[in-house]
């Protein structure tokens, strides 16, 4: 427990030191998307019975929480490859599960911050949605999935550039195709089948349903929880294997 | 205190360690010498939990490094070869984080940080970001950090690499002081004079094997007390003698370039391996 808190403390300390930079960096992409897709398309465009801006905000929450949770991988890699701080953690009397939990919690914290930023941006854009328990649960599960994936992959990559490659191949396509900007149901059957394998599709759908006070598909929550646990176990195995 | 039995380590097809065995008793300052790539850092990485041995066993203060890894890690402090302070954090925060990782209570951490910063003569830099420190000060802070949890064994992996001679000597004094405080010190270095000055015993490692292990003076006595270096046919030749007169007599009337000097540990290493201890 104390080992996990030490790992979490270090990440939060760094987040605090770079707070305004981090907030600005978390806000810039959603703001651009909001301006480009939301305001740019006008308030008259409606999707699934809602104004496009209302449709977009939950999608941006899903996307941004994914990106920020996954960004913990970059912090881990900087610590591993540039500053060699990972050695300090490896030599400490803490269990690998404590390390993984601390880093995953740090990823979730970043994701929650980014969600709050989008909600504030949404509020100033005149969008108010239902931010109920199901909404936050879906955000939390989405963050859990991608923070766990980030820790696992950060242990597998051999350099910081490999990490960027993984982001380009997995996270960026998912950000655009996972129901963030358009309803997946409007896609052709073959594309819809593929996109339903993406965890972000389920996260967007669950977050959006909760935000609109509509009944959510419990399968999405179960899938995110199951995948999150599986990726957490994988991350634990990867930390074990990170020793030379 | 440190017991290693038949330790081996393979990286793919490369054998970094080929059956290393040794015992370092409590309170000893043990120097592990060898050229780069000889297996010094690999040994330290295995002992401190950063690497897994291919075979063999080791104990730190009676705790097995594999089966009792958490307890074994509690016994040791590590100053790695790479500067690995957290650049985003201040000196105080770096030490505090280490204390948290070793489950030290808050009050104990604060007291220990104050004590150690005095100890390494860096009390005035406690709020400086690590990235603003000089190389020598970073090393001293890393040593302070490794001492935070009062380890019984301190691993120093090339602690003076890249430092200028004055700062190197300052680190030596600090290392001696730590040993006098009761810690067992396992030091790797490729600076021969560092081992001669500091070590109670030295082991020479070459291509993953220990080729000699004894007290520095005993190792040097095996060769003699004096060395005569002479350029013969364009190559340096060294011969060893029990006393200086004998060395001088062997020069005879020849007018070759030569020098007579004390035998040092480098001579011992060369005589065992045919190589120089160079980075």
């Amino acid at each position: 427990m104390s080992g996990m808190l030490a790992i979490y403390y270090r990440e939060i300390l760094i987040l605090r030191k770079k707070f305004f930079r981090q907030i600005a960096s978390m806000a810039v992409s959603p703001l651009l998307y909001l301006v480009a897709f939301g305001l740019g398309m006008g308030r008259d465009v409606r999707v699934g019975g809602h104004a496009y801006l209302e449709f977009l905000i939950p999608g941006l929450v899903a996307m941004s929480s994914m990106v920020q949770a996954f960004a913990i991988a970059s912090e881990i890699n900087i610590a591993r490859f540039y500053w060699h701080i990972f050695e300090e953690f490896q030599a400490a009397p803490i269990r690998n599960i404590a390390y993984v939990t601390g880093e995953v919690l740090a990823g979730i914290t970043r994701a929650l911050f980014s969600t709050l930023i989008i909600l504030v941006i949404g509020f100033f854009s005149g969008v108010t949605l239902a931010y109920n328990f199901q909404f936050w649960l879906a955000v939390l599960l989405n963050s859990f999935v991608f923070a766990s994936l980030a820790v696992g992959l950060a242990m597998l990559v051999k350099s910081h550039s490999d990490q960027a490659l993984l982001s380009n191949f997995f996270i960026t396509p998912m950000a655009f195709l996972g129901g963030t900007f358009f309803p997946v149901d409007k896609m052709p059957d073959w594309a819809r089948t593929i996109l339903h394998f993406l965890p972000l599709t389920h996260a967007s759908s669950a977050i959006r349903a909760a935000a609109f006070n509509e009944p959510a598909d419990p399968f999405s929550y179960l899938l995110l929880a199951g995948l999150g646990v599986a990726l957490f176990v994988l991350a634990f195995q990867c930390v074990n294997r990170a020793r030379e | 205190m440190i017991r290693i039995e038949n330790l081996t380590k393979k990286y793919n097809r490369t054998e970094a360690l080929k059956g290393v065995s040794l015992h370092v008793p409590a309170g000893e300052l043990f120097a592990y010498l060898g050229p780069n790539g000889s297996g010094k850092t690999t040994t330290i990485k295995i002992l401190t939990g950063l690497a897994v041995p291919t075979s063999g066993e080791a104990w730190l203060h009676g705790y097995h490094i594999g089966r009792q890894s958490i307890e074994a890690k509690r016994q040791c402090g590590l100053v790695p070869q790479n500067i690995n302070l957290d650049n985003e954090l201040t000196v105080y925060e770096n030490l505090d984080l280490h204390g948290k990782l070793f489950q030290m209570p808050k009050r104990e951490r604060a007291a220990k940080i104050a004590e150690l910063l005095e100890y390494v003569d860096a009390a005035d830099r406690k709020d400086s970001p690590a990235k603003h420190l000089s190389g020598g000060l970073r090393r001293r802070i890393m040593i302070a950090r490794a001492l935070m949890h009062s380890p019984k064994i301190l691993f120093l992996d090339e602690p003076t690499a890249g430092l200028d001679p004055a700062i190197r000597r300052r680190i030596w004094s600090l290392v001696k002081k730590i040993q006098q405080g009761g810690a067992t010190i396992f030091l790797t270095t490729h600076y021969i004079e560092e081992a001669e000055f500091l070590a109670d015993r030295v082991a020479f490692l070459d291509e993953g094997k220990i080729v000699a292990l004894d007290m520095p003076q005993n190792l040097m006595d095996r060769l003699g007390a004096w060395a005569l270096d002479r350029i013969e046919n364009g190559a340096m030749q060294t011969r060893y003698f029990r006393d200086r007169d004998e060395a001088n007599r062997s020069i005879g009337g020849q007018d070759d370039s030569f020098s007579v000097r004390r035998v040092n540990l480098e001579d011992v290493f060369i005589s065992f391996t045919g190589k120089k201890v160079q980075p």
Side-chain angles (χ1 to χ4, degrees), chain B residues 205-249:
Chain B
L205 197 66
D206 185 40
E207 294 180 0
K209 283 188 290 195
I210 291 179
V211 291
L213 193 164
D214 207 336
M215 287 191 281
Q217 196 56 54
N218 289 353
L219 287 169
M220 291 187 285
D221 287 347
R222 289 189 203 179
L223 295 181
W226 294 89
L228 168 65
D229 295 325
R230 169 180 262 157
I231 307 289
E232 286 176 10
N233 302 324
M236 170 82 84
Q237 303 291 332
T238 306
R239 290 171 61 203
Y240 302 103
F241 301 92
R242 289 283 147 209
D243 57 59
R244 184 161 195 158
D245 290 343
E246 194 185 341
N248 287 335
R249 276 199 300 277

Side-chain angles (χ1 to χ4, degrees), chain A residues 3-244:
Chain A
M4 182 264 291
L5 288 176
I7 300 292
Y8 182 68
Y9 162 82
R10 187 247 166 193
E11 297 295 351
I12 297 306
L13 203 57
I14 288 174
L15 187 64
R16 203 180 73 187
K17 281 177 183 281
K18 299 192 283 190
F19 190 71
F20 291 108
R21 257 186 297 164
Q22 289 281 353
I23 293 293
S25 123
M26 284 176 184
V28 68
S29 295
L31 259 176
L32 283 174
Y33 291 132
L34 207 73
V35 170
F37 296 110
L39 303 178
M41 288 178 80
R43 286 187 179 271
D44 298 334
V45 177
R46 299 188 73 79
V47 179
H50 298 276
Y52 184 67
L53 207 56
E54 287 175 2
F55 176 86
L56 184 61
I57 293 287
L60 287 180
V61 166
M63 183 189 80
S64 193
S65 55
M66 170 187 77
V67 169
Q68 290 304 324
F70 192 78
I72 198 67
S74 295
E75 297 293 338
I76 294 172
N77 278 321
I78 290 167
R80 260 184 95 191
F81 299 123
Y82 294 139
W83 296 342
H84 307 282
I85 303 154
F86 187 60
E87 289 179 2
E88 170 79 351
F89 300 147
Q90 282 183 307
I94 59 169
R95 303 205 178 273
N96 289 344
I97 190 93
Y99 175 77
V100 175
T101 312
E103 294 290 7
V104 166
L105 278 181
I108 291 173
T109 306
R110 292 173 65 103
L112 292 178
F113 265 117
S114 71
T115 300
L116 286 173
I117 290 167
I118 291 171
L119 298 191
V120 170
I121 293 171
F123 176 79
F124 285 110
S125 310
V127 177
T128 313
L129 300 165
Y131 305 123
N132 50 29
F133 173 73
Q134 286 95 322
F135 175 89
W136 289 108
L137 179 64
V139 171
L140 206 65
L141 288 174
N142 188 40
S143 315
F144 176 51
V145 166
F146 287 100
S148 299
L149 178 68
V151 176
L153 291 180
M155 294 296 119
L156 292 179
V157 299
K158 302 288 179 210
S159 72
H160 197 56
S161 56
D162 290 351
Q163 186 69 46
L165 212 63
L166 287 173
S167 295
N168 289 342
F169 276 105
F170 292 105
I171 299 301
T172 307
M174 205 156 3
F176 282 93
L177 300 173
T180 312
F181 300 104
F182 56 85
V184 172
D185 294 345
K186 303 286 179 198
M187 301 288 279
D189 283 351
W190 63 268
R192 202 165 58 219
T193 308
I194 293 171
L195 297 183
H196 269 102
F197 281 101
L198 303 180
L200 190 69
T201 306
H202 293 273
S204 301
S205 153
I207 291 170
R208 193 166 280 130
F212 292 158
N213 261 328
E214 290 169 359
D217 183 357
F219 176 72
S220 291
Y221 287 87
L222 284 173
L223 183 126
L224 289 173
L227 189 61
V229 170
L231 289 171
F232 185 87
V233 172
L234 186 74
F236 171 70
Q237 296 294 342
C238 292
V239 173
N240 272 336
R241 298 176 108 200
R243 289 201 298 165
E244 285 177 16

Side-chain angles (χ1 to χ4, degrees), chain A residues 2 10 88 90 243-244, chain B residues 11 45 73 86 98 103:
Chain A
S2 49
R10 187 247 166 193
E88 170 79 351
Q90 282 183 307
R243 289 201 298 165
E244 285 177 16
Chain B
Y11 293 103
K45 282 188 170 180
K73 284 176 180 181
D86 202 326
H98 183 93
Q103 291 96 46

Side-chain angles (χ1 to χ4, degrees), chain B residues 112-139:
Chain B
K112 194 75 182 179
I113 291 170
E115 177 197 325
L116 284 171
L117 289 181
E118 286 288 341
Y119 191 68
V120 299
D121 201 13
D124 56 332
R125 304 306 298 271
K126 116 177 136 78
D127 296 319
S128 302
K131 58 186 163 198
H132 293 165
L133 306 179
S134 65
L137 189 51
R138 281 176 192 218
R139 287 279 174 198

